[in-house]
Amino acid sequence: MQYIFIAIALLLILESCLIYKATFTEKILWDDDEIAVLKSLHIENLQETPLSNNNALAKFGQILFFENELSSNKNVSCASCHEPENYFTDKEPLPTNGVGTANTHTPTIVGISNSSWFFWDGRKDSLWSQALGPLENPVEHGTNRMQVVKTVLRKYDTLYRSQFGDIPDLSNNDHFPNNASPLGNNTTWKKNWKNMREDDKVLVNQVFANIGRSIAEYEKYIQPGKSAFDEFVSDLGHSNTSDKLSPEAQYGVKLFLNAEKTGCINCHNGPLFSNHSFQATGISANEDSPEKIKGGRLSGIANAISDEFNCYSQYAQEDCSELKYAKKLGTELVSAFKVPTLRNIGETAPYMHNGSLESLKDVLSYYNKARPKIGVHMELRPLRLFPHQLKQIHAFLQTLTAPLASDRQWLTNPQNSHP
């Protein structure tokens, strides 16, 4: 019986090798159903977040994105971790370019404005409120709300006025101390904020919200460009075959689209290759933390509901349907983190929300085995693909790399002129 199993295994391996060889000798055909799905992934289907009528707001946001003075040590800006030359990531497992070391990996913000939830756990429900979070985070910008507001109004009073009208007078330090914030670890800053009048807090919060809105307007312009994959899909519009991608990459696409065999398309769909939802991959935020199973979307949605700058706040202008109808309880939220875009995935290593996987090969190997961990919620099932099939998917993922949209190159340098 043992020899029979060995013989069957050898036949399977031989068959897989013959299939692998065929990928380089046969013309690959695509049926109408496959082409329809491929077209749904094309970059032209990306519905960009509406931009304001005044492009000057995005330019103001760009200046603030690169402004180092919006930090406690005057050396940290948004661009310190979201580096334009690295597709707005930092190439580190955990970001160390801030005041301290953050506990989650820096995700790309290319195309991020098309999402409904922000941060790995979705604790922010708008792009502009997300932009405010790092400013008061002790290990990122490490500063406080009042310092940010006073710095912006001092350095950019003319730009601020041009976008938001008259600025409040914050010169009275008895009413508006130089350092005050309801967040963070600094007890003096928190005490100063607590002692402020409520109407004074509203004035500061409104300016703070406008700062976030400006940065968000800039980030809306940061969109992916057309990749080799998109060229391939366009070519399939004329026939059911194309040589725009290598046979190896095309077989990788077929595996990717196979919902039963790999399931990749179930989460990584749409023109950004993300459903913008949350998935429990079995990788916890802090492996050594006894509270690790409480992380992820379960805590993220709770924080979004209590956030003072969410869509229900007086500073928001957004519709609240996403937050109102979001799932708030359930085992599927435990240790679930945001599904990232696969656009430019070959250039944004390392991977996962904690930066624990160094390469795409590591990611594919992890998904291929998908071993459950005791005490950690995981929704993955092992792919159990052959090595050559993993290489095919890897080849396909590399075809998703592209520069920013051609008219967006001004985004990478605050000194460049806005178009």
Side-chain angles (χ1 to χ4, degrees), residues 32-307:
D32 291 342
D33 290 339
E34 288 175 319
I35 292 175
V37 176
L38 287 171
K39 286 183 176 179
S40 74
L41 302 173
H42 197 282
I43 193 69
E44 290 180 355
N45 290 316
L46 187 61
Q47 300 294 319
E48 292 187 12
T49 306
L51 302 169
S52 67
N53 293 327
N54 187 352
N55 288 342
L57 182 60
K59 187 62 181 177
F60 182 32
Q62 181 189 32
I63 292 170
L64 297 178
F65 188 89
F66 288 88
E67 176 55 73
N68 288 335
E69 281 200 44
L70 303 184
S71 63
S72 59
N73 63 6
K74 313 301 181 186
N75 290 320
V76 178
S77 71
C78 302
S80 296
C81 293
H82 295 288
E83 301 167 354
E85 63 272 20
N86 290 319
Y87 291 95
F88 291 86
T89 67
D90 58 9
K91 296 287 189 180
E92 297 187 53
L94 298 177
T96 59
N97 293 331
V99 174
T101 300
N103 59 6
T104 54
H105 175 61
T106 301
T108 180
I109 57 175
V110 177
I112 192 62
S113 63
N114 298 276
S115 181
S116 299
W117 303 101
F118 305 88
F119 290 111
W120 284 103
D121 59 2
R123 63 183 179 272
K124 289 285 190 174
D125 66 350
S126 70
L127 187 60
W128 69 265
S129 64
Q130 183 282 326
L132 302 176
L135 297 172
E136 295 186 286
N137 189 314
V139 296
E140 294 185 66
H141 291 243
T143 187
N144 62 84
R145 193 167 305 181
M146 189 70 76
Q147 189 270 333
V148 169
V149 167
K150 286 196 173 187
T151 297
V152 170
L153 295 185
R154 171 178 55 81
K155 290 193 68 172
Y156 304 109
D157 59 331
T158 301
L159 279 173
Y160 184 91
R161 288 176 191 273
S162 70
Q163 299 304 313
F164 302 107
D166 290 339
I167 62 176
D169 182 6
L170 307 183
S171 60
N172 187 335
N173 286 344
D174 290 334
H175 283 258
F176 304 98
N178 287 329
N179 297 285
S181 175
L183 305 178
N185 300 325
N186 190 301
T187 55
T188 301
W189 296 352
K190 295 175 80 169
K191 181 178 178 181
N192 288 345
W193 183 264
K194 183 179 180 180
N195 291 336
M196 288 174 59
R197 299 187 321 187
E198 289 304 314
D199 56 339
D200 289 339
K201 293 178 183 177
V202 170
L203 285 176
V204 174
N205 281 344
Q206 186 59 67
V207 177
F208 195 54
N210 289 340
I211 290 169
R213 216 174 293 281
S214 302
I215 295 173
E217 196 65 25
Y218 162 66
E219 292 178 330
K220 289 177 186 178
Y221 279 88
I222 305 173
Q223 301 294 337
K226 195 172 186 179
S227 68
F229 169 81
D230 300 301
E231 298 287 354
F232 161 73
V233 175
S234 295
D235 199 39
L236 283 179
H238 306 292
S239 68
N240 66 342
T241 185
S242 171
D243 60 0
K244 293 291 185 180
L245 294 184
S246 69
E248 185 178 36
Q250 289 193 52
Y251 271 90
V253 175
K254 283 187 177 287
L255 285 168
F256 186 89
L257 297 185
N258 192 323
E260 294 184 1
K261 190 172 187 64
T262 66
C264 302
I265 193 67
N266 295 334
C267 294
H268 294 285
N269 49 53
L272 282 177
F273 290 83
S274 172
N275 60 6
H276 306 295
S277 188
F278 302 85
Q279 186 78 16
T281 62
I283 296 180
S284 59
N286 297 290
E287 291 291 340
D288 298 327
S289 171
E291 302 296 316
K292 61 186 176 182
I293 64 171
K294 296 182 180 180
R297 182 57 173 165
L298 188 62
S299 60
I301 187 60
N303 288 330
I305 292 170
S306 62
D307 182 34

Side-chain angles (χ1 to χ4, degrees), residues 356-370:
S356 60
L357 300 180
E358 295 183 3
S359 69
L360 273 180
K361 291 181 180 179
D362 292 334
V363 175
L364 291 172
S365 176
Y366 177 82
Y367 276 76
N368 204 42
K369 298 173 183 177

